[in-house]
Amino acid sequence: MKLTFLGGAGTVTGSKILLEVNYKKILIDCGLFQGLKELREKNWETLPINLNELDLVLLTHAHLDHSGYIPLLVKNGYKGEIYCTEATKDLTEIILLDSGKIQEEDARRANKYEYSKHNPAEALYNVDDAKEAITHLKTFESNKWHKFNDEIEFKFINSGHILGSVFVLIKVNEKIIAFSGDIGRTEPILLPKFEYIDYADYLIVESTYGNRVHKEVSISDELLKYINHTYAKKGILIIPTFSVERAQEIIYLLSVLKRKKQLPNIPIFLDSPMGVNATEVYFKYNKIHKLTEEDIKSMLSTVHLISSVKASKAVVNDNSPKIVLAGSGMITGGRVLHYLNKYISDKRNSVLIVGFQAEGTRGRALLSGDSEIKFFGEYHKINAEVFKINAFSGHADQNELMDWLKHFKSSPTLTFINHGEPHQSQALKVKIRTVLNWNCTVAKMNNEYYLD
């Protein structure tokens, strides 16, 4: 058996892990690189895999950094299936179609305004590529073993990160290899808590917050504080929002504040076609989240859902106080850029960051205190106030990761730490070795690891 980390090692993006065993090649996750230019450029590199020899792709969840490369995989020759849960399939369809559309639009805009070094600028993949990729998705139930062939079985177990997200267990040669994907919080806002795993011979565990413990604060109180602060300035609160999970969490919390009559009387918009579609998916899968019918009705009455370009432009051009949730969450693209283009230079306005910002993203630049950010080929002065709520994170912190690991009944032969920037991964490695005395290593990009 051999593992190769083709992404998500030394970084939190581009997750792809290749397992080679019994003359079979299985890819666990197939994500896009985001953030730093040197990482984004890897999306254009040819994968070191003969795609005619790739037998299967297993998907832990729908987020772009775990699923966004699938259209390229299929475009470049992969003909096999992609296994996932039902909710992951529905969300992946939404995310890939949106990704193809955004890349088409970015290339078109770059060519129109001639701010790309490439002439012409091209999309990494388009909507048609995404549509083709979606036909390869196949769903399986969680919490039961499924046969891939006579020698290889797999199982999905709830990871509590986003709707449909799972840990992936692969059983082969009497060994179990566990892939964590992304691990959720111990008390998610909308979802059941992650499940524990009893045993694995080999474990791959994420480390996004491997060096940090999230502060215990009231997210609702924090959210209300920034809303009232911006409202008092007669400003506009812009919340760059991940369309899957984070958007639904914020809408739910806003609906609770509205029910308690604590919100100021200002309109709230979710300006994200993907966010709107993802919200509908959440309401569809009412058995795997904690929302009641009353919660759902309240959410729908609290927020104006914006999909059309015409409606979006109208909201952008209305200068009156409002709260806007718009993609993308790391400000790497999407409709949030149009709001920032108009409002980020006005000190009455605020930008509220509500999730992890990868190195090299505009969101990270805002948090770092940069005086300007670049998009649409121009630099934009940052006069709006920038705030962050850390407690919104959908990733387990160090204590929660250790809690999950401590429930293994015996230590894995070897634990690989991935999906983290170097400092976070190293910190988790030291913690695991010190507290659990496990044999572990930090995964390195493109390194091959042979398993006994």
Side-chain angles (χ1 to χ4, degrees), residues 3 5 17 19 28 60 145 155 157 166-172 175-181 183 196-206 404-405 408 412 414-418 451:
L3 286 178
F5 292 81
I17 306 171
L19 170 65
I28 296 85
T60 62
W145 287 102
K155 181 195 278 190
I157 297 175
V166 291
F167 307 126
V168 172
L169 272 62
I170 297 177
K171 186 192 296 181
V172 61
K175 305 279 188 182
I176 294 176
I177 309 167
F179 300 83
S180 78
I183 304 177
Y196 294 104
I197 296 174
D198 290 336
Y199 179 82
D201 293 280
Y202 296 96
L203 171 65
I204 295 85
V205 63
E206 67 121 321
W404 185 70
L405 294 170
F408 280 77
L414 179 59
T415 296
F416 296 91
I417 300 167
N418 77 326
L451 312 181

Side-chain angles (χ1 to χ4, degrees), residues 162-225:
I162 67 170
L163 195 77
S165 66
V166 291
F167 307 126
V168 172
L169 272 62
I170 297 177
K171 186 192 296 181
V172 61
N173 296 351
E174 299 181 356
K175 305 279 188 182
I176 294 176
I177 309 167
F179 300 83
S180 78
D182 290 351
I183 304 177
R185 308 293 307 279
T186 52
E187 294 184 15
I189 296 171
L190 304 180
L191 301 176
K193 173 184 172 180
F194 56 68
E195 296 178 40
Y196 294 104
I197 296 174
D198 290 336
Y199 179 82
D201 293 280
Y202 296 96
L203 171 65
I204 295 85
V205 63
E206 67 121 321
S207 57
T208 309
Y209 287 108
N211 68 327
R212 186 182 304 175
V213 176
H214 299 311
K215 290 182 180 178
E216 291 188 18
V217 297
S218 167
I219 299 177
S220 292
D221 288 350
E222 290 279 292
L223 188 59
L224 187 59
K225 177 175 71 175

Side-chain angles (χ1 to χ4, degrees), residues 255-269:
S255 73
V256 172
L257 289 170
K258 183 180 178 182
R259 274 183 269 178
K260 293 179 178 178
K261 303 188 186 310
Q262 293 178 302
L263 280 181
N265 186 26
I266 54 174
I268 304 169
F269 300 93

Side-chain angles (χ1 to χ4, degrees), residues 16 30 33 75 230 236 257 271 278 291 318 328 419 445:
K16 302 179 199 70
C30 190
F33 286 100
K75 182 179 179 180
T230 307
I236 294 167
L257 289 170
D271 189 353
L291 295 172
D318 178 1
S328 67
H419 200 285
M445 196 92 77

Side-chain angles (χ1 to χ4, degrees), residues 73-86:
L73 198 77
V74 173
K75 182 179 179 180
N76 292 334
Y78 178 63
K79 295 179 175 58
E81 293 180 319
I82 300 158
Y83 293 176
C84 58
T85 64
E86 283 191 27

